[in-house]
Amino acid sequence: MTARLGTALAILTLAVALPATAQPPKLSLPLDCDIGRTCYIEDYVDTDPGPGQRDYTCGIKSRDDHRGIDFMLLSFDDMEAGVNVLAAASGTVAATRDGMADTPVTAETRDAIRGQECGNAVRVDHGDGWQTLYCHMKQGSLSVRQGDMVKAGDVLGQVGLSGLTNAPHVHLGVLRDGQIVDPFAPDARDTCGAPLDQSLWEIALPYDPAGLFTAGFSTAVPEFEAVRSGAARASTAQPDQPIVLYGHVFYAQPGDLLTLTAEGPQGEIFTHEITLDAPQAQLFRAFGRKAPEGGWEPGDYRGYVRLTRGETILAVRHADITIAP
């Protein structure tokens, strides 16, 4: 969902450096939200040097060559309302980029953003080779300029949908001398997990191995293999066909709750809750409605699948489908 940042880092060139400091910066949350309530972490730094992916715990919450931490909003409505991106540590604004549209990436638009995968962005220099990079910010929201001094918690702009992404979030990259550093395990050497005292975070941020691979719409309850392969996903449907929303879950625990919600031009279609009493390593659940008399109203429909444990949100995925005229 986020950028491959190698080319993006080259574009956001270093302009200003702070005096050297002996210690790495301690990081605060890079957006104005409550982890597990109004936002959550979806992807971590990929610590696997080869093909495939693993996070710092040797879990699967990363993607191949993912070079930062993705802090996700819960919905597009939250993005529209405005959620501030915050400086994770004090420093000097080294570079910015603005002017890219907040548009989910598609196969047709992928080439147009090549070299600008980070989208609208801010890079802050903290001295001694340390920098933080904030990607996918909202067009026109940047509130700082190159050379500005910022303190931890200062507003840099707002969470958006620019660059190589299809869901609103901020991608935080942490670098030392131009090399990606995992803020959860900066001294990791091919091990699983890291002592809390090694973390660069000011406060301990939660980690849970459970999450959602994907969500999708279909026109019938799909087979599990079709969900896993992606063959179940439908992007369009006819007005007289059923609308079915599914979620593909991993490492859930007994009692976790899966909530499936869909809405269209006429408003909410359904909200359905499923308690996962005996989850396996992977599973999917689906819920849908038959077409009403006269058929679905043509237009764009969106669904959300949310995985929660008690009051804590573990993951959210969305899906879109268009009903043809």
Side-chain angles (χ1 to χ4, degrees), residues 163-188:
L164 185 58
T165 182
N166 62 10
H169 72 287
V170 63
H171 172 107
L172 176 71
V174 180
L175 303 99
R176 176 74 189 278
D177 297 329
Q179 300 299 310
I180 293 295
V181 174
D182 185 345
F184 287 89
D187 299 321

Side-chain angles (χ1 to χ4, degrees), residues 53-129:
Q53 77 281 338
R54 67 169 181 245
D55 60 42
Y56 76 101
T57 73
C58 292
I60 61 174
K61 300 181 85 167
S62 186
R63 291 175 293 106
D64 189 22
D65 199 31
H66 191 244
R67 307 181 72 194
I69 312 296
D70 288 347
F71 293 85
M72 312 295 297
L73 300 186
L74 304 186
S75 71
F76 287 78
D77 289 343
D78 292 344
M79 183 192 80
E80 293 298 332
V83 176
N84 288 332
V85 177
L86 309 177
S90 299
T92 300
V93 176
T96 65
R97 178 169 55 221
D98 202 347
M100 296 182 65
D102 292 293
T103 304
V105 67
T106 65
E108 292 73 27
T109 61
R110 180 64 184 87
D111 285 343
I113 63 171
R114 197 170 303 279
Q116 302 179 86
E117 288 89 346
C118 187
N120 304 317
V122 173
R123 186 152 57 84
V124 178
D125 189 88
H126 308 287
D128 198 27

Side-chain angles (χ1 to χ4, degrees), residues 61-318:
K61 300 181 85 167
S62 186
R63 291 175 293 106
D64 189 22
D65 199 31
H66 191 244
R67 307 181 72 194
I69 312 296
D70 288 347
F71 293 85
M72 312 295 297
L73 300 186
L74 304 186
S75 71
F76 287 78
D77 289 343
D78 292 344
M79 183 192 80
E80 293 298 332
V83 176
N84 288 332
V85 177
L86 309 177
S90 299
T92 300
V93 176
T96 65
R97 178 169 55 221
D98 202 347
M100 296 182 65
D102 292 293
T103 304
V105 67
T106 65
E108 292 73 27
T109 61
R110 180 64 184 87
D111 285 343
I113 63 171
R114 197 170 303 279
Q116 302 179 86
E117 288 89 346
C118 187
N120 304 317
V122 173
R123 186 152 57 84
V124 178
D125 189 88
H126 308 287
D128 198 27
W130 289 94
Q131 300 173 341
T132 49
L133 177 65
Y134 310 78
C135 297
H136 313 306
M137 295 172 68
K138 186 185 293 185
Q139 184 179 23
S141 75
L142 270 63
S143 56
V144 294
R145 297 182 300 175
Q146 183 180 348
D148 286 352
M149 300 291 292
V150 295
K151 295 180 180 179
D154 283 354
V155 175
L156 304 178
Q158 292 189 336
V159 179
L161 196 66
S162 59
L164 185 58
T165 182
N166 62 10
H169 72 287
V170 63
H171 172 107
L172 176 71
V174 180
L175 303 99
R176 176 74 189 278
D177 297 329
Q179 300 299 310
I180 293 295
V181 174
D182 185 345
F184 287 89
D187 299 321
R189 295 293 184 268
D190 200 28
T191 58
C192 297
L196 290 178
D197 61 3
Q198 287 187 12
S199 167
L200 297 184
W201 299 105
E202 283 189 332
I203 60 172
L205 295 183
Y207 175 90
D208 194 281
L212 287 161
F213 283 118
T214 190
F217 276 113
S218 188
T219 56
V221 176
E223 297 293 331
F224 193 14
E225 185 53 41
V227 169
R228 290 193 290 189
S229 70
R233 185 182 303 275
S235 59
T236 60
Q238 297 301 312
D240 61 348
Q241 290 182 298
I243 291 180
V244 176
L245 179 65
Y246 61 84
H248 184 185
V249 184
F250 59 88
Y251 296 146
Q253 293 184 5
D256 287 354
L257 187 69
L258 202 63
T259 304
L260 299 93
T261 304
E263 59 183 26
Q266 70 273 46
E268 183 178 295
I269 299 170
F270 60 76
T271 293
H272 184 69
E273 295 183 342
I274 303 170
T275 299
L276 305 177
D277 290 325
Q280 296 111 9
Q282 292 189 45
L283 59 88
F284 89 99
R285 295 290 185 269
F287 185 81
R289 297 284 190 198
K290 293 180 179 180
E293 185 176 353
W296 299 111
E297 182 178 337
D300 296 328
Y301 290 66
R302 174 164 289 159
Y304 289 98
V305 178
R306 179 178 297 189
L307 178 67
T308 56
R309 182 174 301 147
E311 299 297 320
T312 300
I313 297 171
L314 301 178
V316 179
R317 291 280 189 160
H318 78 279

